[in-house]
Amino acid sequence: MNMTIRLALSVAVVGAVTATTLGQAVGDTPAPSAAASGAANPGFLTHFTPTVPNPTTASAAQLAAGRPVGAFATLTADSSAGGSISRAEVIARAQSWVDAGVPYSMTSYRTDANGKYRTDCSGFVSMAWHLNSSSGNNWGETTGTLLNYTSSIPKESLKPGDVLLNPDSGAGGHVVIFNGWTSSDHSTYDALEESGSSGAVHHSIPYPYYSGHGTFSPRRYDNIQDANNGVDVTGDGKADLMVLSTDGTIGLRPGSGTSFGAGTTVSAGWQNFLGGAGQGRLYYADINGDGNKDLLVQGTDGTIGVRFNNGSGTSFGANVPLSSGWQNYLSRPGQGRLTFPDINGDGKADLVIQGTDGTIATHLGSGTSFGANIPLSSGWQNYLSQPGQGRLTFPDINGDGKADLVIQGTDGTIATHLGSGTSFGANIPLSSGWQNYLSQPGQGRLTFPDINGDGKADLVIQGTDGTIATHLGSGTSFGANIPLSSGWQNYLSQPGQGTLSFE
């Protein structure tokens, strides 16, 4: 995001102001070292005299009473405030203070690439949400005034970038940024906060907060956007039908949420990428995080390349190399499998490796390459989609933007282990009766795209009779059968057949 930041060595505010660079002390609060702060987000802290006794929890009335006459007439906000912001950006901004080791203070603000914000809990959230900041509001909103920017939500609707807020006007007021559940029973969560005892910290804490700290409730910033809504081929958030025919053509049929439109050929020459013996494979994933799925090509030589989406899904660009050495991961007998979900919820596809030894690992995607190997899970050697085995997929079941692990067993059960971005939780049953849909010869196929664009994976059933139907996902189960299309009996991904993808 482009923004203009004024890094002044002195700032005119109400009362005495002292500018302090990193590495020096601010009042009695130790500043982080240069190494802890990191070169990616350099900044400095400035001590100021608040216009109210407690700028962390002050009410709007207290702020108004303490504001000098004409203060806003001469103030200029340094951040572009009040606009829409993605969940990924909220978490990235918050994490930048954690990485920099920003200490807690109610009477200091930090100047860095994020703007100028008070370094307490409500200033931290103001910074993460990119709210207005000036001396008129003591460089950030308060736990009380954050109510004016948010709406109450149920616990089960929490997503990364939402908050747990105690708006108490006294010393008990506090606010914490939610970043996903860390337990299957939703009793603990991944949190980012500016803590009085620890400074900016990223850790797992009990829901809604530690006992003895008052009443916290889940709330959502009114201008936050779901980055995972809109990740499909055409960019409208609703899964499209991509048809790979035996003649090598790829056809696009845009999804409306209830059906698929007329077919348009968007690429050709892929007759050797149908996933059969001696053939490569094609995938669709959003590599660069622009909200449109790109075409990924896995060659028999072990290379992975990407052809970026033109923004509407009607064509894909020239091949851009991404990785190599994957010739034994083409999903053939005795081989591993590759998929490209968004494991950490940053909007960019990651590389997930399912090995023949039963391990699952990821290489996080930067938009131009994949990083180092990170283990995620193990014990899945009988889920490599071969005859007599189950299948694993990685859709976003609960709509938090992070890929979950979905297990389709040979007994017909479907279950999920919700993803935290670094691991998968406990087993949660979702559905049963699908033992004849394991993608083997004479069987149907199951996939888990987002058909209706609500951010949560739906169940799509491709029958041997050529029908396509969906059971919409609620985040905890799948609904009733809804027919979508028919006539696809020769597209079950078997030898001599085409392949359907719901992207």
Side-chain angles (χ1 to χ4, degrees):
M1 177 174 291
N2 294 324
M3 53 183 171
T4 302
I5 305 294
R6 291 204 312 265
L7 299 179
L9 293 178
S10 62
V11 182
V13 296
V14 178
V17 176
T18 303
T20 309
T21 59
L22 285 177
Q24 297 175 314
V26 180
D28 295 326
T29 306
S33 67
S37 301
N41 190 27
F44 58 84
L45 300 177
T46 304
H47 184 75
F48 72 100
T49 301
T51 61
V52 291
N54 191 328
T56 304
T57 63
S59 66
Q62 289 172 323
L63 288 171
R67 185 181 306 131
V69 176
F72 280 130
T74 58
L75 291 175
T76 301
D78 289 303
S79 58
S80 56
S84 297
I85 188 169
S86 71
R87 295 184 182 279
E89 185 182 352
V90 169
I91 298 303
R93 289 169 68 91
Q95 185 64 42
S96 72
W97 273 26
V98 175
D99 293 341
V102 177
Y104 182 95
S105 173
M106 293 189 298
T107 57
S108 294
Y109 62 82
R110 175 176 169 87
T111 302
D112 61 16
N114 297 308
K116 296 179 180 178
Y117 290 95
R118 191 177 61 253
T119 58
D120 58 13
C121 64
S122 49
F124 178 67
V125 171
S126 298
M127 178 276 297
W129 285 349
H130 213 179
L131 300 179
N132 246 326
S133 168
S134 70
S135 61
N137 67 355
N138 294 294
W139 309 105
E141 297 300 326
T142 74
T143 54
T145 61
L146 284 174
L147 291 170
N148 301 329
Y149 297 86
T150 59
S151 300
S152 177
I153 58 172
K155 172 184 176 180
E156 297 306 322
S157 294
L158 278 164
K159 297 181 182 182
D162 296 333
V163 297
L164 280 302
L165 174 65
N166 175 0
D168 185 80
S169 59
H174 192 56
V175 62
V176 185
I177 296 175
F178 178 89
N179 191 40
W181 299 107
T182 56
S183 60
S184 59
D185 63 355
H186 293 185
S187 61
T188 59
Y189 64 100
D190 188 47
L192 298 101
E193 62 174 323
E194 187 69 54
S195 167
S197 59
S198 306
V201 62
H202 188 168
H203 56 169
S204 178
I205 62 176
Y207 180 89
Y209 198 66
Y210 299 105
S211 61
H213 288 268
T215 302
F216 286 75
S217 61
R219 299 189 70 85
R220 177 166 296 160
Y221 177 40
D222 293 332
N223 286 334
I224 203 165
Q225 290 185 329
D226 288 300
N228 57 312
N229 292 356
V231 181
D232 68 316
V233 170
T234 57
D236 66 353
K238 300 172 183 175
D240 307 304
L241 174 56
M242 304 301 292
V243 183
L244 174 59
S245 297
T246 54
D247 65 356
T249 58
I250 298 175
L252 163 66
R253 293 176 178 254
S256 68
T258 57
S259 63
F260 300 106
T264 302
T265 299
V266 296
S267 192
W270 303 105
Q271 54 268 35
N272 293 322
F273 289 82
L274 285 156
Q279 293 189 333
R281 298 182 67 86
L282 300 181
Y283 310 83
Y284 300 90
D286 184 9
I287 291 294
N288 58 356
D290 66 353
N292 296 93
K293 288 193 175 182
D294 308 303
L295 175 61
L296 285 106
V297 183
Q298 183 185 2
T300 55
D301 60 354
T303 58
I304 300 172
V306 62
R307 295 175 181 247
F308 288 109
N309 192 319
N310 69 345
S312 63
T314 55
S315 67
F316 299 96
N319 187 74
V320 178
L322 286 178
S323 190
S324 61
W326 304 104
Q327 53 267 40
N328 292 322
Y329 289 82
L330 285 157
S331 302
R332 306 303 304 163
Q335 294 190 336
R337 299 178 69 237
L338 302 181
T339 50
F340 299 87
D342 182 8
I343 290 292
N344 61 352
D346 68 351
K348 298 174 184 176
D350 307 307
L351 171 59
V352 167
I353 306 103
Q354 188 181 349
T356 55
D357 61 354
T359 58
I360 300 172
T362 187
H363 296 214
L364 298 179
S366 67
T368 56
S369 63
F370 299 109
N373 189 78
I374 302 172
L376 291 175
S377 190
S378 60
W380 304 103
Q381 52 267 40
N382 292 321
Y383 289 82
L384 285 158
S385 303
Q386 299 303 321
Q389 294 189 335
R391 291 176 61 86
L392 301 182
T393 50
F394 301 88
D396 182 9
I397 290 292
N398 61 352
D400 68 352
K402 299 175 183 176
D404 305 308
L405 171 60
V406 168
I407 305 103
Q408 186 182 352
T410 54
D411 61 354
T413 57
I414 300 172
T416 187
H417 295 214
L418 297 179
S420 68
T422 57
S423 62
F424 299 108
N427 190 77
I428 302 172
L430 291 176
S431 190
S432 61
W434 304 103
Q435 53 267 41
N436 292 322
Y437 289 83
L438 285 158
S439 302
Q440 296 304 315
Q443 294 190 335
R445 298 178 69 237
L446 301 182
T447 50
F448 301 88
D450 181 10
I451 291 292
N452 61 352
D454 67 350
K456 299 174 184 176
D458 306 307
L459 170 61
V460 168
I461 305 103
Q462 187 180 350
T464 55
D465 60 354
T467 58
I468 300 171
T470 187
H471 295 214
L472 298 179
S474 68
T476 56
S477 63
F478 299 108
N481 189 77
I482 302 172
L484 291 176
S485 190
S486 60
W488 302 102
Q489 52 268 40
N490 293 320
Y491 287 83
L492 285 157
S493 302
Q494 298 302 319
Q497 294 189 336
T499 296
L500 300 184
S501 301
F502 301 89
E503 309 293 348

